């Protein structure tokens, strides 16, 4: 949501779209979802993609490697859904370059060719040629960085070429390939996943392909690569996604909810009675974290979650005095189980992050205001009751206001605003 907001503001400022219809004209797709569309467009899916097939897509890029697990819901028409939250690990191709830089600095620290400029020239050539050809079988690997006059035989430099053993080059991949494989294994878990599609610029690495195949094909997961260059998998895939939109369900990355008060239950809440309070209606209440979207919930375009809320007033409010509804949506990004009962002193549990704010104008609810008498003070008060719906539409979280007016259900607009600005 924060990224969407920032990019929307940028598009409006650049004059690409007017603010009046930016919601309708700007569409956002995750890199992983764009990649799966690209992959399916460039592989022979008829040979392996069947209904209920489980398959993963690993997009290995320059800095990050994103993996997503999909289920084929139907073959005709083709429809997919995410199985669980995707995985992302900082283990892209640039980390192989950094590891190789460290290896060269140590290898050439006593050589006249070990200065920073020479090392930088070697890394450029390594990235452009040596790394792209390396598959682990070469006895000797060279980095062409200099001229025929450049020689230091004791350090493996002859006529401007630095020779490296297969073990030396392979050691630059060790941490990266281990991180990628561990991330994929955690995503797949104990599920029977028939295929893993490997895409992305770093996904073209012969050595990475070999390591991925060795790790997964022995457990029955066939690794599928594509013949087309996949460096632009995200960009080209985004265009294919807009035209095809094969994914019908996305998995929530985090548990999302609100802070709310529930009626005290002596059996369920006995250990937390000291944290209770009494509202105007005389009800004993307890403030808790109310989960609206559990992690890994499959969000489809007909998904909806709702909660009830109310606003109270000391005098009969006019439409202009009803004011605005404001509430915060939180995501649980901590370790362990999601917290339930909260501390009423204002301190949130570590890991409960304020992520979004929902706002709605209540002026339309004027005819739904009811009067009552406080069971605490005996004074009259006025209350308006309504519900907030959170919906998932076209890759976006949206919200609306819902209330009953003279026995008829009404709806009105609500806005979701990211709490964190990028």
């Amino acid at each position: 949501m924060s990224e969407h907001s920032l990019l929307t503001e940028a598009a409006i400022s650049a004059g690409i779209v007017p603010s009046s219809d930016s919601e309708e004209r700007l569409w956002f797709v995750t890199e992983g979802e764009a990649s799966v569309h690209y992959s399916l467009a460039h592989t022979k899916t008829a040979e392996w993609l069947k209904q209920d097939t489980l398959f993963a897509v690993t997009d290995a890029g320059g800095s990050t490697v994103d993996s997503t697990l999909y289920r084929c819901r139907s073959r005709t028409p083709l429809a997919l859904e995410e199985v669980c939250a995707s995985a992302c690990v900082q283990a892209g191709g640039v980390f192989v370059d950094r590891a190789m830089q460290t290896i060269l600095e140590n290898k050439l620290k006593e050589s006249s060719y070990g200065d920073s400029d020479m090392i930088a020239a070697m890394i450029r050539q390594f990235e452009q040629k040596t790394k792209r050809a390396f598959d682990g079988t070469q006895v000797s690997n060279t980095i062409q960085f200099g001229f025929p006059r450049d020689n230091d035989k004791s350090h493996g430099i002859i006529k401007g070429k630095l020779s490296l053993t297969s073990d030396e080059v392979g050691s630059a991949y060790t941490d990266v390939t281990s991180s990628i494989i561990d991330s994929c294994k955690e995503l797949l878990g104990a599920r029977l996943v028939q295929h893993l599609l490997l895409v992305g610029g770093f996904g073209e690495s012969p050595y990475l392909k070999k390591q991925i195949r060795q790790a997964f094909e022995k457990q029955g997961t066939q690794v599928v690569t594509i013949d087309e260059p996949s460096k632009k998998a995200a960009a080209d895939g985004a265009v294919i996604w807009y035209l095809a939109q094969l994914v019908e369900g996305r998995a929530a990355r985090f548990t999302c909810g609100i802070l709310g008060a529930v009626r005290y239950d002596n059996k369920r809440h006995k250990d937390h009675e000291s944290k209770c309070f009494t509202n105007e209606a005389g009800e004993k209440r307890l403030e808790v974290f109310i989960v609206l979207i559990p992690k890994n919930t499959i969000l489809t375009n007909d998904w909806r979650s709702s909660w009830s809320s109310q606003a109270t007033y000391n005098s009969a409010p006019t439409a202009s005095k009803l004011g605005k509804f404001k509430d915060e949506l939180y995501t649980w990004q901590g370790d362990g189980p999601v917290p339930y009962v909260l501390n009423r002193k204002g301190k949130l549990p570590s890991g409960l992050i304020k992520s979004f704010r929902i706002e709605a104008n209540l002026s339309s609810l004027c005819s739904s205001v009811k009067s009552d008498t406080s069971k605490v003070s005996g004074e009259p008060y006025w209350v308006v009751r309504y519900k907030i719906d959170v919906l998932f539409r076209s890759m976006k979280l949206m919200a609306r206001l819902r209330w009953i007016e003279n026995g008829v259900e009404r709806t009105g607009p609500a806005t979701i605003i990211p709490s964190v600005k990028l």
Side-chain angles (χ1 to χ4, degrees):
M1 288 291 293
S2 299
E3 292 90 342
H4 291 184
S5 179
L6 178 68
L7 292 171
T8 298
E9 291 176 9
I12 293 171
S13 298
I16 297 173
V17 295
S19 59
S20 58
D21 62 351
S22 60
E23 286 287 328
E24 290 74 24
R25 295 180 61 184
L26 282 178
W27 292 56
F28 296 96
V29 59
T30 63
E31 187 171 351
E33 192 162 321
S35 295
V36 72
H37 281 76
Y38 181 87
S39 303
L40 295 181
H42 290 90
T43 57
K44 297 177 181 179
T45 57
E47 297 179 0
W48 61 269
L49 188 58
K50 312 297 181 184
Q51 185 169 338
D52 293 325
T53 295
L54 281 180
F55 69 96
V57 177
T58 294
D59 183 1
S63 59
T64 62
V65 177
D66 299 282
S67 299
T68 309
L69 188 59
Y70 292 96
R71 174 183 287 107
C72 179
R73 293 178 60 179
S74 72
R75 192 65 184 84
T76 307
L78 183 57
L80 313 173
E81 74 174 12
E82 292 182 11
V83 174
C84 58
S86 59
C88 179
V89 62
Q90 297 280 332
V94 68
F95 294 97
V96 176
D97 299 342
R98 292 177 184 176
M100 178 53 66
Q101 180 176 334
T102 300
I103 291 169
L104 295 182
E105 288 171 347
N106 291 331
K107 183 181 180 69
L108 302 175
K109 60 184 176 182
E110 303 298 334
S111 170
S112 59
Y113 294 93
D115 63 84
S116 58
D117 289 340
M118 281 293 182
I119 296 292
M122 293 177 189
I123 292 299
R124 283 193 296 271
Q125 290 301 311
F126 170 77
E127 195 283 325
Q128 293 172 10
K129 294 182 179 179
T130 312
K131 185 173 76 170
R132 302 184 188 196
F134 179 71
D135 64 6
T137 63
Q138 300 92 331
V139 176
S140 179
N141 303 270
T142 59
I143 299 177
Q144 175 75 57
F145 72 93
F147 300 96
R149 65 175 180 271
D150 295 315
N151 293 280
D152 184 348
K153 292 184 178 180
S154 64
H155 288 92
I157 298 174
I158 300 175
K159 295 183 178 182
K161 296 180 181 179
L162 171 67
S163 293
L164 298 170
T165 66
S166 183
D167 287 343
E168 285 178 309
V169 179
S171 65
Y173 287 81
T174 301
D175 291 343
V176 168
T177 53
S178 295
S179 295
I180 295 172
I181 290 169
D182 289 346
S183 176
C184 290
K185 285 184 175 179
E186 184 177 355
L187 178 73
L188 272 56
R191 302 179 183 91
L192 180 60
V193 178
Q194 293 96 329
H195 297 85
L196 186 153
L197 279 65
L198 182 61
V199 298
F202 186 38
E204 296 176 6
S205 161
Y207 186 75
L208 179 60
K209 291 179 183 178
K210 183 177 180 180
Q211 295 299 307
I212 294 289
R213 285 196 170 100
Q214 288 178 353
F216 291 99
E217 291 191 346
K218 62 185 178 183
Q219 65 186 43
T221 301
Q222 182 182 353
V223 177
V224 179
T225 57
I226 59 179
D227 296 330
E228 295 291 326
S230 57
K231 290 183 179 179
K232 296 182 179 179
D236 291 354
V239 176
I240 300 170
W241 166 84
Y242 182 78
L243 297 174
Q245 297 196 26
L246 302 177
V247 180
E248 296 183 347
R250 288 97 181 168
R253 274 46 174 171
F254 301 102
T255 292
C256 182
I258 60 168
L259 308 187
V262 297
R263 185 173 295 179
Y264 176 77
D265 183 318
N266 191 50
K267 291 183 179 180
R268 187 180 183 187
H269 303 137
K270 187 176 182 180
D271 294 340
H272 305 285
E273 188 173 8
S274 61
K275 299 176 182 178
C276 289
F277 66 97
T278 303
N279 65 8
E280 293 288 353
E283 299 170 335
K284 188 183 288 188
R285 311 286 281 189
L286 185 66
E287 189 172 18
V288 301
F289 177 62
I290 300 173
V291 174
L292 299 175
I293 312 173
K295 183 179 178 179
N296 289 326
T297 296
I298 303 302
L299 304 177
T300 58
N301 277 337
D302 59 357
W303 178 90
R304 183 181 80 180
S305 186
S306 307
W307 75 95
S308 299
S309 189
Q310 65 181 40
T312 58
Y313 308 86
N314 294 325
S315 60
T318 61
S320 61
K321 290 185 178 180
L322 280 173
K324 275 188 176 182
F325 160 85
K326 292 182 182 180
D327 209 345
E328 304 288 346
L329 286 179
Y330 295 80
T331 53
W332 173 245
Q333 301 179 25
D335 298 324
V338 179
Y340 179 59
V341 178
L342 303 177
N343 188 336
R344 280 185 55 77
K345 294 182 179 179
K347 186 177 181 180
L348 293 176
S350 176
L352 194 60
I353 309 299
K354 187 185 295 184
S355 300
F356 314 107
R357 185 174 73 255
I358 296 182
E359 294 185 357
N361 192 317
L362 301 178
S363 60
S364 299
L365 282 68
C366 190
S367 60
S368 299
V369 175
K370 307 293 183 183
S371 62
D372 207 340
T373 301
S374 171
K375 291 181 174 59
V376 177
S377 65
E379 298 293 328
Y381 71 96
W382 285 257
V383 61
V384 59
R385 296 181 175 87
Y386 47 88
K387 289 187 176 182
I388 297 295
D389 294 333
V390 175
L391 312 101
F392 189 75
R393 300 288 185 273
S394 302
M395 295 288 290
K396 300 176 186 177
L397 276 182
M398 306 175 74
R400 71 181 178 193
L401 192 64
R402 189 158 50 94
W403 71 98
I404 300 298
E405 181 179 305
N406 298 323
V408 178
E409 184 176 83
R410 306 288 188 186
T411 59
T415 304
I416 296 183
I417 303 168
S419 296
V420 179
K421 288 285 187 179
L422 296 180

